Amino acid sequence: MKKNLILSLFAAMTALCLAGCATADTASRPEQPLPLTGTVWIPQFLSNQDKAGLSDDAVVRLVIAADGRCSGAAGDNYFFGHADVTEPDGIRFDRIVLTRRSGPNQQYEQNFAAMLNLARHYSIRGDTLTLCGENKTPLATFRGTVPHNY
């Protein structure tokens, strides 16, 4: 009887300990936002995408360097330019130049470039970047990852 009581108490203490650790770890640690620069941002939503889809093999990404240079892929073509970032949440893309390959994603690329030209504000929550227009209306959302070799 004494042995069963000890085993029961041990099991209960172990369960409480494990439950406490799991909730304390996730609840007490705030999710740190990814940095704007040096992160590879993959678009999840473009407000002006309309019916312009992407082919299955299309690659779209945006990277902003610490010196303000930006680059990436827009579907069929690569792009380069500059991102002027101002505190606390200002951003303006300029001198965006796309390579000139043809392909099935031309309309998406035009919409992507137009969205960058309209962006004036940004916010980052966790791994999600939102680019907004002049009146802070969302234009696009991106999911971010930090490359290992960046």
Side-chain angles (χ1 to χ4, degrees):
M1 178 80 162
K2 189 174 182 181
K3 186 176 178 182
N4 286 341
L5 180 62
I6 291 172
L7 286 174
S8 295
L9 285 173
F10 179 76
M13 295 283 283
T14 303
L16 283 173
C17 224
L18 290 174
C21 290
T23 57
D25 187 46
T26 56
S28 67
R29 190 179 53 196
E31 188 176 343
Q32 291 294 317
L34 289 175
L36 177 64
T37 59
T39 301
V40 176
W41 297 105
I42 310 295
Q44 304 297 303
F45 166 77
L46 297 181
S47 65
N48 66 347
Q49 185 173 355
D50 301 321
K51 295 179 182 175
L54 282 168
S55 61
D56 290 339
D57 60 344
V59 175
V60 182
R61 65 181 174 269
L62 165 68
V63 178
I64 301 171
D67 66 359
R69 287 181 293 157
C70 66
S71 61
D76 297 319
N77 290 284
Y78 296 100
F79 67 90
F80 310 92
H82 187 265
D84 183 26
V85 180
T86 55
E87 294 298 327
D89 69 348
I91 193 165
R92 186 177 218 118
F93 294 91
D94 63 349
R95 300 186 300 258
I96 300 295
V97 178
L98 279 91
T99 57
R100 297 189 176 257
R101 289 191 219 160
S102 63
N105 303 300
Q106 297 296 304
Q107 185 60 53
Y108 183 92
E109 288 185 335
Q110 289 176 8
N111 295 352
F112 185 80
M115 177 276 303
L116 290 177
N117 286 326
L118 293 172
R120 298 295 179 264
H121 301 278
Y122 75 94
S123 67
I124 302 173
R125 288 208 166 146
D127 66 350
T128 302
L129 165 68
T130 303
L131 293 179
C132 299
E134 192 69 50
N135 59 359
K136 296 200 176 183
T137 300
L139 300 172
T141 57
F142 296 78
R143 177 76 29 90
T145 61
V146 178
H148 299 298
N149 60 352
Y150 193 77

